[in-house]
Amino acid sequence: MNLSWQSIRFRLSVQYSALVFGLGGALLGLVYLAIQSGLSSQEMMTHLWEGRVVTLDGGAEVVLPHYSESEVQAIESIYNQIVLDEVARFTIMAIVILFLLSLIVGWVMSGRVLKPVGEITSVAREIQASDLSRRIALEGPDDELKRLADTFDEMLQRLDTAFASQRQLMADTSHDLRTPLTVIRSNIELVADDPAAGVAEWREAGDVIRRNAERMSEMIAGLLATARMQTGQAKSVQVDLAALVEGKVADFAPVAAQRDLTIVARSEPVAALGVEVALDRALANLIENALKVAPRGSVVNVGSGVSEGWAWIGVSDVGPGLPAEPGDRVGLGLSIVTQVAESHGGSLGTFPGSDGRGTTMVVWIPAESETTTPPPGFSPFTDI
């Protein structure tokens, strides 16, 4: 029980008590004044100086004594004072009792009002950064405290999602960076331990090391772009998503041709506020993943557009699709894409092909700052 004068419950108790005590005291004061006014204005016991005869219960008759008007007024004054003194005494007792009752009522009522706040505080104290699965789930009427608890639960959900995304990104980063490092170390050790290794072997090892170093450089560039977005260091500008798509399609056309694939731009003119280098990295990752899994002779579609207030860029292929199990890794590339989408206030949407083959990956970005609806739950390529 917190009895500190700085606590909200103490202050609410004082406010409730002051209100109840003030109203009750004012009511008792008005009653006292009304009695005083009535006693002072009425004409009492005027029969005392009329010499009236009163018949008692036994039949005897008693003649009341005759009093003068001044004597009657004196008796009335004494009588009125006695009545007022009694009323004042009971009024003071009632005020003291009312004050104590108002404190008790105020304390109990403020405790009931602040009980949801205590539940919110208890859950918030138990929550740790490593476990954001707890929810308040406050029950009761849809009042301000219920809405506060629901808002807090929504914030926890967003934080839980963000932390899970960060953990996934770290896991994918450590895994994907370990692979090229292992390849580099293995090739160096292989050539260094071979006394017969000549220039050709060292050159071959150098080519392998260069390719893996370039791969690591691209990964780090993607991570840096994501980090700048999350720390607010990157500047958002109006990005022409159609031009971005057409530029990336032109960049990857030779790579697609080497793999006997056709890459096609299917863009609608649309501009959205974002960080161009981050969106460029995200789209490049999606295209690279599609080119890796798409079967020879197939078409990889890259597009952009706007739907239901959301701008989008995406890639569609007819490959084997993403892993069906939630725990399967999707790689650092998609983790970076997810981070880029969420940094722009959007999300990464995944839509499997209708025949069970292929996947459409879409980065949703708010087309307008006041967009409050969630991203569409369908593949936007069907609308082009």
Side-chain angles (χ1 to χ4, degrees), residues 16 48 56 68-70 83 90 97 103 107 144 160 183 188 197 248 264 269 315 320 322 330 332 341 354 357-358 368:
Y16 286 149
L48 291 178
L56 301 179
S68 65
E69 184 176 355
S70 61
V83 173
F90 285 109
I97 296 174
L103 287 178
W107 183 261
E144 290 81 1
D160 193 15
V183 172
I188 293 177
K248 300 311 293 183
V264 179
V315 179
L322 290 174
V330 295
L332 178 60
S354 57
R357 298 186 60 212
E368 301 174 355

Side-chain angles (χ1 to χ4, degrees), residues 27 29 54 59 107 120 135 138 147 150 167 176 207 221 233 241 292 311 326:
L27 180 61
V54 178
W107 183 261
I120 296 174
R135 298 293 182 271
L138 186 66
R147 290 192 289 271
D150 292 342
R167 288 192 293 268
D176 287 5
D207 291 338
Q233 296 180 1
L241 299 183
K292 290 178 182 178

Side-chain angles (χ1 to χ4, degrees), residues 140-202:
D142 187 18
D143 54 11
E144 290 81 1
L145 291 177
K146 178 69 163 57
R147 290 192 289 271
L148 174 63
D150 292 342
T151 302
F152 193 75
D153 284 343
E154 293 174 0
M155 181 190 69
L156 288 177
Q157 180 62 44
R158 292 193 297 269
L159 287 175
D160 193 15
T161 302
F163 272 84
S165 178
Q166 290 288 343
R167 288 192 293 268
Q168 183 66 43
L169 176 64
M170 293 300 297
D172 292 337
T173 300
S174 60
H175 182 277
D176 287 5
L177 287 178
R178 187 185 299 116
T179 301
L181 286 174
T182 301
V183 172
I184 292 173
R185 184 172 60 250
S186 299
N187 277 270
I188 293 177
E189 293 176 352
L190 180 64
V191 178
D193 293 341
D194 184 7
V199 176
E201 287 76 14
W202 279 103

Side-chain angles (χ1 to χ4, degrees), residues 235-263:
K235 183 179 179 180
S236 296
V237 296
Q238 284 292 331
V239 180
D240 187 343
L241 299 183
L244 178 64
V245 166
E246 292 171 359
K248 300 311 293 183
V249 167
D251 292 341
F252 281 94
V255 180
Q258 292 177 357
R259 301 178 182 179
D260 194 20
L261 299 172
T262 303
I263 184 169

